[in-house]
Amino acid sequence: MLGAARRQLGSGHMLAQVLRRLRPTAAASTEAARGYSSAAKEITVRDALNSALDEEMSADPSVFLMGEEVGEYQGAYKITKGLLDKYGPDRVLDTPITEAGFTGIGVGAAYQGLRPVIEFMTFNFSMQAIDHIINSAAKSNYMSAGQINVPIVFRGPNGAAAGVGAQHSQCYAAWFAHVPGLKVLAPYSSEDARGLLKAAIRDPDPVVFLENELLYGESFPVSDEVLDSSFALPIGKAKIEREGKDVTITAFSKMVGYALQAAEILSKEGISAEVINLRSIRPLDRAAINASVRKTNRLVTLEEGFPQHGVGAEICMSVVEESFEYLDAPIERIAGADVPMPYAANLERLAVPQIEDIVRAARRACYRALPMAATA
């Protein structure tokens, strides 16, 4: 079936020169800000994703990859490097620029028991395929009374990169987390990327896997356990990246690194911040979030997506419903600006959260600074 699909799709000619322009240059965070031991072996997020795909394809012949430039070009961001040579064109399928077409083929293959991994060159392009993701993949298990499983992964870079404008910079975490039937994951570190992607591929349900372009080249320490081929992280469980007692900061993807750097700055001011790496957006680890808030009595939510109906708004409501009496200060919500992403570098920086924004919000929550209304 896959051979027939490949003959139908062909390989096509992709936008290599454009992608070279879009390829990221990521700035590394300090080891102290990450809270990791420097003694462990380090691998990049890119290599963590690549090794997860390789091992799952080796372990399960029903796993295959499909997307634009995943084969001959070895991936727009080299996530699928070497996999075409190792597994051949029946399991690593280059497609034309037609997200609706190859996503639909992938969902159909999942109906028949295969485990497709569909790559979007950016999740902004997933809107071309959103009918297949939501109406075909997310709803089929429920509509079939559990008779049809759809074990498919939709993965690719999500959110802001650098200088690529409004149509390549949007965060889709809240979009997909809104939909029953989908699981939505957003890794930060190499451990997250490797463990969550393995879990996503093995899962019987459709998983939206939101990576970040600027994290691909980042290196993180990993343990021998993480490098074991059987390793996988549980879906729906957050990780406390840094323990604290004065204020809780929730974040996901690239923003976790920002939160850790902010926490380091706050520690020098006598504010002990607890940083929660959400990892899973749907299901959301409400228990971990509320347990932390009941300890710190304050909450700052952080995301780079739009504020209205965002992930932070859902977290705020969860805390209000379950832990309101524990709050000693109003919840602070940090999000991207409520505008399409500007192209100009100076405006782009103003449109996404910065470390100083987190620091100011935590100070306000701890009554170390005047509230925003008082300074207006």
Side-chain angles (χ1 to χ4, degrees), residues 55-223:
E55 291 171 9
E56 294 306 301
M57 292 181 75
S58 177
D60 186 348
S62 69
V63 178
F64 72 96
L65 313 181
M66 184 185 293
E68 297 157 4
E69 297 191 340
V70 298
E72 296 289 347
Y73 191 66
Q74 304 192 75
Y77 300 98
K78 302 304 182 238
I79 305 300
T80 54
K81 184 178 181 180
L83 300 182
L84 175 63
D85 291 339
K86 186 170 184 179
Y87 297 103
D90 281 352
R91 295 185 66 193
V92 182
L93 284 78
D94 277 323
T95 71
I97 305 175
T98 171
E99 284 78 11
F102 64 75
T103 303
I105 290 172
V107 173
Y111 283 168
Q112 299 302 313
L114 297 177
R115 291 184 175 271
V117 179
I118 304 299
E119 176 177 313
F120 296 119
M121 201 174 289
T122 162
F123 256 94
N124 296 269
F125 302 158
S126 71
M127 287 193 290
Q128 300 290 329
I130 203 162
D131 180 58
H132 292 299
I133 297 171
I134 293 176
N135 281 328
S136 299
K139 298 177 181 178
S140 291
N141 184 260
Y142 179 85
M143 293 178 69
S144 68
Q147 297 179 77
I148 299 175
N149 287 109
V150 191
I152 186 170
V153 177
F154 307 101
R155 56 153 295 270
N158 169 72
V164 292
Q167 295 173 330
H168 295 76
S169 299
Q170 191 162 322
C171 176
Y172 285 89
W175 283 55
F176 290 114
H178 185 68
V179 181
L182 290 179
K183 295 174 182 177
V184 183
L185 307 179
Y188 161 60
S189 65
S190 300
E191 176 182 317
D192 292 355
R194 182 171 160 81
L196 290 174
L197 184 55
K198 281 175 162 287
I201 293 172
R202 299 172 190 176
D203 200 87
D205 298 312
V207 179
V208 172
F209 197 84
L210 303 171
E211 301 155 14
N212 186 277
E213 180 181 328
L214 297 180
L215 288 175
Y216 285 147
E218 288 263 20
S219 294
F220 293 85
V222 292
S223 65

Side-chain angles (χ1 to χ4, degrees), residues 231-365:
F231 176 74
L233 288 170
I235 292 175
K237 294 295 182 182
K239 178 187 179 184
I240 297 178
E241 295 282 352
R242 178 181 178 128
E243 293 190 355
K245 60 183 178 62
D246 295 329
V247 60
T248 297
I249 304 175
T250 63
F252 60 93
S253 190
K254 183 178 66 173
M255 291 293 109
V256 176
Y258 283 28
L260 289 170
Q261 291 180 67
E264 187 67 20
I265 295 170
L266 290 165
S267 69
K268 297 174 183 177
E269 302 177 6
I271 297 174
S272 174
E274 181 150 293
V275 177
I276 297 181
N277 173 5
L278 295 176
R279 284 182 168 170
S280 178
I281 310 301
R282 186 186 182 104
L284 188 65
D285 194 349
R286 300 171 192 273
I289 296 167
N290 279 278
S292 178
V293 170
R294 292 181 182 197
K295 177 178 69 172
T296 67
N297 310 116
R298 295 170 176 85
L299 173 63
V300 176
T301 70
L302 173 61
E303 63 188 307
E304 66 176 38
F306 300 135
Q308 187 162 320
H309 310 304
V311 176
E314 179 65 23
I315 292 171
C316 291
M317 195 61 216
S318 175
V319 170
V320 167
E321 289 175 336
E322 300 179 38
S323 304
F324 180 75
E325 65 273 25
Y326 289 87
L327 290 171
D328 287 343
I331 296 172
E332 296 281 345
R333 180 175 57 158
I334 304 172
D338 199 21
V339 296
M341 180 65 70
Y343 180 75
N346 59 330
L347 296 179
E348 180 183 67
R349 189 181 189 282
L350 294 173
V352 294
Q354 302 297 325
I355 296 168
E356 55 265 31
D357 299 324
I358 309 166
V359 171
R360 283 195 295 265
R363 287 172 181 158
R364 288 195 298 268

